[in-house]
């Protein structure tokens, strides 16, 4: 748990901003807190929020978040062997897996269960708590889009994407995704271009990764 | 015209109900899927690893979705590409990110610059 403390400010700030944006865009305070408590993955939560805010359909909001979170399959596989106990216990404890707890648990060259669970628990409490706090202050914003919150979403996704783009394959796939999104935007309803752009990840079939890598920590 | 107002009110109420239920569909489905994704390794896959092709496709999903979201949030309009204040704001945030600013700082820069341009323009 102590290992999580240096990283504590980030989930607090993210949780606050998620709560503020969720409330400001009409997502609803209670729904935001429930989503933080069940989904517990910031990027995907922001993604579905922004798709709905941009007028996208429910299906597009769901798919965008699910595609973003699919990386947790790969991440959970890397730590699968460190979970002790029966199925129910493993199901419960696997929910402590987030980018940050995963990165912390693996920083000594092998994955350590106490760090994963301890830091995951700390991040969970901070994330859900700060989401609730954010929704409480979110109500003071009157016209969110006049404040440039739509651009803030774009900045968030850009910052989250940057760590991945050090890899050439990821850069090519991301460039293809950008082209697909731009080309489809004038012709399809909101949300559809994003989902179509996910096809760019199929570039991975042609050239498999040399070494298995999973999501990068956010900071 | 009271009748017209009443109809408009009913449509507005219907929209609110629609929005509320669609939010809860998103919360439920995304929540269930994410819980399943996180449990997939420890519960189902155990000590085996993903096939390399599947692994590399999954690896690319996050950057692909994030960049697609950047593009729609920056240029997306009502079925058209729009170049407006957001481009300036996101550009400024890009510079902040390049200067290694924290994500929250980059978001604040984007929001502030976009709002500023909207006031001027």
């Amino acid at each position: 748990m102590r290992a999580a403390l240096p990283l504590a400010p980030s989930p607090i700030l993210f949780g606050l901003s998620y709560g503020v944006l969720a409330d400001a865009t009409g997502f609803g305070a209670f729904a935001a807190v429930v989503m933080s408590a069940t989904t517990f993955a910031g990027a995907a939560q922001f993604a579905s929020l922004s798709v709905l805010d941009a007028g996208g359909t429910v299906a597009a909001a769901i798919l965008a978040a699910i595609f973003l979170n699919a990386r947790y399959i790969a991440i959970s596989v890397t730590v699968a062997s460190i979970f002790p106990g029966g199925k129910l216990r493993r199901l419960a404890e696997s929910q402590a897996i987030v980018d940050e707890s995963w990165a912390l648990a693996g920083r000594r060259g092998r994955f350590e269960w106490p760090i994963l669970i301890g830091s995951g628990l700390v991040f969970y409490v901070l994330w859900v708590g700060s989401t609730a706090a954010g929704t409480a202050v979110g109500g003071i914003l009157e016209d969110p889009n006049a404040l440039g919150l739509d651009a803030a979403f774009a900045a968030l996704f850009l910052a989250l994407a940057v760590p991945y783009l050090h890899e050439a394959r990821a850069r090519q796939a991301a460039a293809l995704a950008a082209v697909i999104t731009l080309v489809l935007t004038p012709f399809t309803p909101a949300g559809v271009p994003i989902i179509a752009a996910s096809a760019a990840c199929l570039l991975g079939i042609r050239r498999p990764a040399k070494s298995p890598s999973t999501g990068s920590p956010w900071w | 015209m009271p009748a017209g107002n009443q109809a408009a009110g009913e449509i507005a109420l219907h929209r609110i109900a629609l929005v509320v239920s669609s939010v809860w569909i998103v919360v439920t489905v995304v929540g269930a899927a994410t819980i399943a994704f996180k449990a997939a390794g420890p519960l189902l896959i155990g000590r085996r690893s993903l096939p390399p092709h599947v692994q590399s496709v999954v690896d690319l999903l996050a950057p692909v979705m994030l960049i697609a979201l950047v593009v729609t949030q920056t240029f997306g309009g009502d079925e058209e590409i729009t170049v407006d204040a957001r481009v300036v704001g996101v550009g400024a945030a890009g510079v902040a990110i390049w200067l290694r600013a924290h994500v929250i700082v980059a978001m604040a820069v984007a929001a502030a610059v976009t709002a500023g341009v909207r006031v001027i323009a």
Side-chain angles (χ1 to χ4, degrees):
Chain A
M1 282 194 187
R2 214 171 282 164
L5 290 181
L7 294 183
S10 285
I12 293 175
L13 288 172
F14 271 116
L16 281 173
S17 54
Y18 175 68
V20 169
L21 290 177
D23 201 53
T25 56
F27 191 82
F30 186 50
V33 175
V34 171
M35 196 170 193
S36 282
T38 50
T39 298
F40 185 32
Q45 292 180 232
F46 278 107
S48 50
L49 189 59
S50 79
V51 170
L52 287 180
D53 184 45
T57 61
V58 172
I62 289 173
L63 283 176
I66 283 181
F67 286 159
L68 264 176
N69 275 350
R71 73 181 188 285
Y72 279 113
I73 300 173
I75 289 176
S76 75
V77 167
T78 65
V79 292
S81 62
I82 67 170
F83 283 88
K87 288 210 160 178
L88 208 61
R89 184 176 165 192
R90 278 180 285 158
L91 171 65
E93 290 184 350
S94 67
Q95 300 310 311
I97 302 172
V98 263
D99 291 335
E100 303 80 53
S101 65
W102 177 81
L104 276 177
R107 66 186 170 163
R108 281 184 220 158
R110 62 186 178 85
F111 288 104
E112 295 171 87
W113 176 86
I115 296 181
L116 185 78
I117 302 300
S119 65
L121 203 62
V122 171
F123 292 136
Y124 185 82
V125 171
L126 294 177
W127 178 242
V128 178
S130 56
T131 300
T135 59
V137 296
I140 57 174
L141 300 173
E142 278 177 13
D143 184 4
N145 277 341
L147 287 173
L149 293 188
D150 41 1
F153 276 128
L156 165 72
F157 298 129
L158 182 61
L160 296 183
V162 164
Y164 291 99
L165 301 181
H166 295 306
E167 211 196 338
R169 244 162 25 95
R171 274 200 302 276
Q172 290 159 5
L176 180 59
V179 171
I180 295 174
T181 311
L182 275 177
V183 168
L184 288 183
T185 296
F187 308 107
T188 55
V192 173
I194 304 174
I195 304 311
S198 69
C201 74
L202 296 175
L203 282 183
I205 294 179
R206 210 155 49 92
R207 276 174 290 167
K210 283 175 198 97
S211 58
S213 60
T214 35
S216 336
W218 287 11
W219 44 85
Chain B
M1 274 168 278
N5 279 344
Q6 198 183 346
E10 273 169 21
I11 290 170
L13 274 180
H14 178 69
R15 281 222 182 105
I16 289 169
L18 197 72
V19 166
V20 168
S21 61
S22 58
V23 162
W24 283 105
I25 294 169
V26 170
V27 169
T28 311
V29 176
V30 173
T34 307
I35 289 169
F37 289 160
K38 289 182 179 180
L43 268 190
L44 304 176
I45 297 167
R47 283 166 195 275
R48 287 171 292 162
S49 57
L50 289 177
H53 290 290
V54 176
Q55 175 87 45
S56 50
V57 168
V58 170
D59 283 350
L60 290 179
L61 264 172
V64 158
M65 290 310 295
L66 290 169
I67 291 298
L69 284 163
V70 171
V71 172
T72 36
Q73 285 295 320
T74 311
F75 300 104
D78 190 13
E79 298 202 18
E80 59 181 0
I81 291 173
T82 321
V83 177
D84 57 22
R86 292 174 296 173
V87 180
V88 186
V90 177
V95 173
I97 293 165
W98 183 59
L99 294 172
R100 300 184 170 275
H102 191 277
V103 190
I104 300 289
V105 176
M107 288 172 78
V109 167
V113 171
T114 305
V117 172
R118 276 176 186 155
V119 169
I120 298 164

